[in-house]
Every structure is written in C-alpha cells, then in structure tokens.
Amino acid sequence: MKDKLKIGLLGLGTVGSGVPTILKEHQEKIAQVTGMEIVIAKALVRDEDEKKRQAEKFDIQLTTDIDEIINDDEIKIIVELIGKVEPARTFITKALENGKHIVTANKDLLAQHGSELVALAQKNHCDLYYEASVAGGIPILRTIANSLAADNIQKVLGIVNGTTNYMLTQMVTAKKSYEQALKEAQELGFAESNPTNDVDGIDAAYKMVILSQFAFGMNISLDQVDTHGIRGLSLDDVEMAAHLGYEVKLIGSSEYNNGSIAVEVGPMLVAKTHPIASVRNEFNAVFLESSGVGESMYYGPGAGAKPTATSVVSDLITIAKNIRLGTTGHMFNSYSHDTEITEDKNINGKYYFSIEVPDKHGQILRLTQIMTEADVSFEQLVQQKSDGTRARIVAITHTITKEQMKRVASEIKKADGFKLLTIFKVLEDK
Ligand code: HSE
C-alpha cells in the first residue's frame, strides 16, 4: 500500500474536473513514478449541488469554505484552478503561509504578482509550480527552465492564445464571421470567462510576461508589453496577407537585444513558410531561437480540460518527488537577470501598412515622400481596385526601426485625406 499524498483542489470547472480524470486514468504510472498515491481530499466549489455528480464520480469531498482546505494539516498541496487575481491571490498567500505547496494554472495572477508569490514560497520553503499557466498542454516552462538551462535564448515567438488562433483559422478557412468564431471558441471551452482578455491580447500578454521570466530572467510588468488584439481585424487585410504569402496570426514576441528585451503581442503577418504559420485552431506553439540548439518549436493544445490538467498533474508529480527526496522549496525558475526594456530605436522589423487614400493621381508619390522623410523604403507596394473615390494602398517596408514605423504612422495620420487602417509587424522565415 503506497503512502497517500492528499491535495486540495480549488475549482471544479473545465480544468478542475480534468485533474481527477488524469489522476484516475494514469493512476498506476503516477504511483510508480512518485512512490505515492495522489488523492484529491477536498475540492472548493461555489455551489456544492451543482458539482455533486462530479464529486461522487471521483469520490471527492466538496466544501464552500476555503479554510477547511487551508487549515487541513493532512492536505500538503493546493491546486488553484479558479483563475483571475482575487480571491486566488488571497487563498494562495494564506496557503503558502500555512506551509502548503502550490500548483496553479493562473496566468493573470502569476504575470501580475508572480514575484511576490515566489518570494513567499521561498520564505516558507514551499514549492510553487505553474506549468499550465502558459500554453496549456505544452510543457514549455519546464523545457526552458530545465532542458534549455544550458542554452542562451534570443527570441521567443508564441501563439499562446487558443481562442484567437481558433477564431483566425475559422475566419480564414471556413469564412466564419468574427462573432460566430468567438461564440464557437466559447462553446468549446477555450475562451476565458470574459473573452475580452482573449481577443484584446491580454491573455497572450500575461503568458509573454511569464515566458520572458523563464527565457530571459526578466520581470516585466504588463504595461511593458506592447499589446494589441484582433478586435476589428479586417478580412481585407487577412486576404491581402494571403495574397502576399503570409498568414495573419496573433503572435506574442519577446526578443533579447544587448541586455534588454522587447515584448509585443499583436496580429502579425507570418510568412507561410515559417513553422509557426502552420499552427491552426486552438493549437498553440512556442518557437525559440537560441544560440545552442538554434531554432526549436514546441507545439500542442493550448487549452482544454485534459491537456491543461496533464500539465497540472505533472507539477503535482514534481512536488511529490520533491517531498519524497526532501528537496522542496526550490524555485520553478531560478534564472534572473536585470530587467531592461529595449528602446524603439533599437527594435527592428518589417512592417505592413494598409492605408486608404483619395483615388486621384499623386497619392503614391505623397506616401513615398512620407516614407522617404523617415528613411523608410518599400519592399512591396500594392494598390487595390477602388470604388472610384477611395483607394487602398498596402505597403510592406524593408527592415526599419520601431521608431521609424511610429514616425511614418504619425505622418500618415496627419496627411490630408489619408486614413491609416492597419499596421502589422511582418515575420519572415529566415
Ligand atoms: N483562454 C485561453 C486561450 C485558455 O484561449 O488560450 C488557456 O489559457
């Protein structure tokens, strides 16, 4: 008979109910690798009646009182799956103060209060693991912290929001409307309870904050991520991108440059030949450029009950092993570096501009003048058929700085009769 390792589960929603499923389905293997039987002793829910059937199925005791879990001496690990900052932050703080180890999938919390919670875990010699907070079922944090510990990462590109990737795929391949695609992502359980965080890029920005900590050891705040979402994305741009050989993807990017990093989230044009362009639907991928390994990509489901619960249970297994070996209290990510943000004049990239102009002669000349004054040149230039009064011009620049891009944008906005519709960063395949 193996020793029992009792855990408390906070939340029995999509991922919450995936955890007992994985623990049950993979029971034998988990018991063999940990030397223990991991048992969910109690689960915190809002409404016991609503979750009664699930509780009976997995033989879990339900409670609506957090203290029943935090003050239970037999419970060694707390798995927090309620999401959002409060009350999760308060619950985890109290639990760490009570010497409980923590597993959480809460990216909102980790991105905004990670340093404080890591310090508290250290102070109380507790483990704090959060693999499931980034890219659901892809073991990317553990890969960066452990498998790539010897490497020097220069760039992280991620499709780290399943909802928007699902929406973009459906809008392009099945010609679904933005609203229809969002509704489906919600029904499939990928979207956040408030999908604003998905479509406005905030969920992806949280994940890029966490990835930047692991890849570069830098603690950036959310407002240091230049964040744009897909709300209002025009199908004209998506079609034009396809015509020019690109896919539009919501990309999170964190790039190292001489002691600093630039972190951005936004719709970008990705060359169809780039490995990340082929990532469809709710799938996520993290593409790394590093000096040792070179290019590597980690691909898998970024949301959903079983994939995310698998990451949660892997964290439980890590803690179980640490308890057995007496090695708890070490940080998930121990790499740390001074935090510095790259200035716009040192951020390089190609940019796609879509501009509406009056349909009369001399407009491309005016645009060329604006570009030339900012020392920017075109790589591609397309004028689309107009309705007789307004025309749309699409330009892709050669590599320029973000400072130049902003200068051009500001001049186009000021130019009489010009309307700046879109700016996307362009990612080429090397
Ligand atoms: N709403 C998130 C997504 C869930 O769509 O990726 C996983 O964090």
Side-chain angles (χ1 to χ4, degrees):
M1 190 70 176
K2 303 234 186 265
D3 288 345
K4 279 192 166 48
L5 178 61
K6 292 194 178 174
I7 68 166
L9 187 59
L10 313 187
L12 211 45
T14 307
V15 183
S17 37
V19 173
T21 307
I22 295 291
L23 282 172
K24 194 171 174 187
E25 287 180 2
H26 308 158
Q27 197 173 7
E28 258 177 56
K29 183 178 177 193
I30 294 168
Q32 197 192 69
V33 294
T34 60
M36 293 187 240
E37 187 192 346
I38 301 179
V39 181
I40 302 173
K42 287 178 196 159
L44 179 79
V45 292
R46 258 197 309 246
D47 181 342
E48 289 188 26
D49 288 340
E50 204 183 284
K51 302 289 177 187
K52 212 167 144 199
R53 267 188 47 209
Q54 270 164 288
E56 280 168 5
K57 180 174 168 200
F58 295 108
D59 197 18
I60 302 171
Q61 192 187 323
L62 296 181
T63 176
T64 52
D65 179 4
I66 183 67
D67 290 334
E68 271 196 37
I69 295 179
I70 289 180
N71 297 329
D72 185 331
D73 288 339
E74 291 201 345
I75 291 179
K76 302 295 176 209
I77 309 173
I78 289 183
V79 177
E80 183 275 307
L81 298 170
I82 47 182
K84 297 274 175 330
V85 172
E86 285 298 349
R89 182 185 179 193
T90 306
F91 292 169
I92 291 179
T93 301
K94 278 193 195 163
L96 286 170
E97 283 166 353
N98 259 8
K100 312 281 187 212
H101 306 290
I102 303 290
V103 174
T104 173
N106 194 329
K107 61 259 166 174
D108 310 35
L109 181 63
L110 262 303
Q112 295 176 86
H113 302 284
S115 310
E116 150 203 321
L117 295 174
V118 168
L120 190 60
Q122 290 287 284
K123 188 173 157 220
N124 292 286
H125 310 290
C126 290
D127 277 354
L128 169 62
Y129 283 92
Y130 40 96
E131 180 64 71
S133 63
V134 177
I138 309 176
I140 188 62
L141 298 183
R142 197 160 267 120
T143 299
I144 296 176
N146 300 341
S147 312
L148 295 175
D151 209 345
N152 197 10
I153 297 173
Q154 275 108 36
K155 193 170 183 177
V156 182
L157 289 182
I159 293 183
V160 287
N161 182 266
T163 300
T164 45
N165 205 49
Y166 177 86
M167 290 171 67
L168 289 172
T169 308
Q170 293 298 317
M171 285 162 70
V172 174
T173 57
K175 302 279 173 238
K176 289 188 183 149
S177 70
Y178 178 97
E179 288 74 23
Q180 177 64 23
L182 175 57
K183 191 166 159 270
E184 285 179 13
Q186 286 177 291
E187 284 164 3
L188 288 162
F190 308 141
E192 298 297 293
S193 46
N194 176 1
T196 301
N197 275 11
D198 295 299
V199 297
D200 288 339
I202 298 160
D203 177 80
Y206 287 143
K207 292 165 181 167
M208 293 314 296
V209 168
I210 300 170
L211 280 171
S212 300
Q213 284 163 353
F214 277 67
F216 305 112
M218 297 197 198
N219 279 316
I220 55 164
S221 59
L222 197 63
D223 58 14
Q224 289 172 312
V225 184
D226 187 3
T227 305
H228 304 270
I230 64 161
R231 201 189 285 271
L233 185 81
S234 146
L235 277 179
D236 291 344
D237 286 321
V238 175
E239 278 162 14
M240 177 55 79
H243 174 72
L244 297 172
Y246 299 92
E247 297 260 353
V248 178
K249 295 281 182 198
L250 185 81
I251 299 284
S253 146
S254 184
E255 190 167 357
Y256 183 85
N257 178 7
N258 201 18
S260 66
I261 56 170
V263 191
E264 300 171 299
V265 168
M268 297 188 194
L269 251 61
V270 184
K272 283 185 180 167
T273 49
H274 194 293
I276 213 161
S278 61
V279 178
R280 309 239 186 280
N281 287 319
E282 77 276 19
F283 280 87
N284 281 196
V286 179
F287 181 89
L288 300 180
E289 285 178 25
S290 58
S291 43
V293 172
E295 293 183 351
S296 56
M297 189 161 94
Y298 308 85
Y299 168 86
K306 274 183 150 188
T308 313
T310 303
S311 290
V312 168
V313 175
S314 300
D315 284 348
L316 283 172
I317 291 171
T318 303
I319 300 177
K321 287 183 186 169
N322 288 345
I323 291 174
R324 186 155 281 276
L325 296 170
T327 54
T328 55
H330 294 285
M331 287 192 281
F332 190 8
N333 167 45
S334 47
Y335 180 39
S336 139
H337 188 290
D338 286 343
T339 301
E340 204 64 56
I341 299 296
T342 312
E343 291 178 66
D344 285 351
K345 64 175 192 239
N346 294 321
I347 299 174
N348 296 308
K350 289 181 180 181
Y351 292 90
Y352 163 101
F353 286 80
S354 165
I355 309 140
E356 199 183 274
V357 301
D359 189 12
K360 54 186 189 194
H361 65 269
Q363 302 309 307
I364 289 191
L365 181 62
R366 288 177 68 210
L367 182 64
T368 307
Q369 274 165 347
I370 290 174
M371 297 272 189
T372 308
E373 272 160 30
D375 200 19
V376 171
S377 58
F378 301 119
E379 188 184 272
Q380 296 196 60
L381 188 64
V382 180
Q383 175 166 354
Q384 285 188 307
K385 272 193 188 152
S386 81
D387 61 4
T389 56
R390 305 284 290 167
R392 199 163 77 107
I393 297 174
V394 165
I396 293 182
T397 68
H398 281 291
T399 300
I400 58 172
T401 67
K402 194 166 180 180
E403 193 178 50
Q404 286 173 295
M405 177 275 281
K406 285 186 174 172
R407 185 170 158 203
V408 168
S410 147
E411 293 304 320
I412 291 173
K413 281 182 196 159
K414 280 191 264 172
D416 195 28
F418 279 19
K419 186 174 173 203
L420 180 57
L421 301 171
T422 318
I423 305 177
F424 292 149
K425 197 163 186 173
V426 179
L427 296 176
E428 300 290 1
D429 188 17
K430 269 196 210 161

